[in-house]
Amino acid sequence: MQDVGQSKGDGVLSEIELVQLISCELHVGVSKAIQQFGSKSSPKFANPVDWLSTWQAKVNLKVTVDDKSSFAPGVTYTEPMKNAISHYNVTYGQNFSISAGLQASSQATHTETVGYTVPFSSFTDATLPRNDDCQNQIENKVVLSDLKIDDFILAKAQMAAQADVVAYRPGSPFSVFNDQLTFIVTYSGNITPVWKLMRVTASSNSPLYYATRTRTHDLTITLGAPADPEAVAVHNAELIGQAVASALRNR
């Protein structure tokens, strides 16, 4: 089944742009964090976050596409009958009618998972978007909104830059940061034609044909040092939890 208002190619394009948006917001977040809380920033931050440039992000994107369609024609036959007259000479119109209907529906669910790693050492200032606005780099601005990944990184970098937040350790005072996001995009459409003849009316109280496509995006991002076992463990645990939550949601 094709997307309602969106072709199969457009669906692939939106996934490409989504990955681009994720990478862009990671880049902007890391750059802003080092600029604001690094060693060259205000000296009020006791623990500069320059180590962030040596970290990486493990990204897991799960896209679930749920297609539903229904077909529900209905026909009503009406046979006029002779008017009836009451004892008070009131005329009542009479007719005989019978209705018939058919309902058919289908549903298909398709799930895709993409996992990749983004090393922060690959980021350069030359590739930053103008005004740090990642939305300008994509076309589906209505479908793909701001994911706030850069805000998440900034908040965690500010926390790490503070003195006495946690016990001191070389480099980062934290070993892992994790962010989860779920957003849903829905397309739908329906057709309800009506034919009204002398004795037959072909219509339906509900749409004759209805179709909907729901795209559920489950995004998990784990920030940590390369090959850090704790970061790997947290990322894997979140993926297991995400799978359980998705199974419960679809019950």
Side-chain angles (χ1 to χ4, degrees):
M1 177 185 295
Q2 295 292 316
D3 281 333
V4 179
Q6 183 184 43
S7 68
K8 182 177 179 180
D10 292 332
V12 174
L13 178 61
S14 67
E15 290 187 24
I16 294 174
E17 292 190 329
L18 178 56
V19 172
Q20 291 174 338
L21 184 61
I22 293 170
S23 298
C24 181
E25 291 196 13
L26 284 170
H27 189 177
V28 171
V30 170
S31 299
K32 283 185 176 180
I34 295 176
Q35 180 182 4
Q36 296 182 26
F37 310 113
S39 57
K40 296 181 180 180
S41 64
S42 173
K44 67 180 180 179
F45 299 110
N47 299 322
V49 299
D50 300 86
W51 44 264
L52 190 59
S53 62
T54 66
W55 275 26
Q56 65 181 17
K58 294 184 70 66
V59 180
N60 185 273
L61 175 62
K62 180 181 178 182
V63 181
T64 302
V65 180
D66 189 15
D67 288 319
K68 295 180 182 179
S69 63
S70 64
F71 180 66
V75 176
T76 300
Y77 175 80
T78 302
E79 178 67 34
M81 300 176 64
K82 183 178 179 181
N83 291 341
I85 302 177
S86 69
H87 294 291
Y88 302 99
N89 291 323
V90 177
T91 302
Y92 292 92
Q94 298 185 119
N95 62 67
F96 168 78
S97 65
I98 184 172
S99 300
L102 173 67
Q103 290 185 344
S105 62
S106 64
Q107 179 174 354
T109 301
H110 181 68
T111 301
E112 296 180 357
T113 301
V114 177
Y116 58 98
T117 301
V118 180
F120 296 160
S121 59
S122 64
F123 292 155
T124 64
D125 293 339
T127 57
L128 278 171
R130 179 179 299 179
N131 299 323
D132 296 334
D133 187 2
C134 294
Q135 285 292 103
N136 284 333
Q137 294 190 338
I138 63 175
E139 296 181 0
N140 294 323
K141 295 179 176 60
V142 176
V143 176
L144 302 178
S145 60
D146 189 358
L147 302 178
K148 305 295 185 182
I149 298 173
D150 51 340
D151 292 342
F152 163 76
I153 296 176
L154 277 173
K156 297 302 176 284
Q158 183 177 6
M159 180 173 61
Q162 304 297 324
D164 302 326
V165 174
V166 294
Y168 175 79
R169 54 176 284 183
S172 170
F174 299 94
S175 57
V176 60
F177 297 132
N178 182 268
D179 189 21
Q180 294 187 63
L181 174 67
T182 298
F183 62 98
I184 300 173
V185 180
T186 301
Y187 307 91
S188 63
N190 64 80
I191 300 175
T192 310
V194 177
W195 295 271
K196 190 170 184 178
L197 308 176
M198 180 179 295
R199 286 183 169 82
V200 178
T201 300
S203 64
S204 176
N205 292 330
S206 57
L208 174 66
Y209 178 77
Y210 176 80
T212 180
R213 165 166 286 192
T214 302
R215 298 173 64 89
T216 302
H217 306 77
D218 294 305
L219 176 62
T220 300
I221 300 177
T222 304
L223 278 60
D228 187 305
E230 187 172 354
V232 174
V234 169
H235 188 73
N236 291 338
E238 294 297 343
L239 294 183
I240 295 173
Q242 181 189 92
V244 173
S246 178
L248 293 175
R249 185 171 60 228
N250 294 329
R251 288 182 62 181

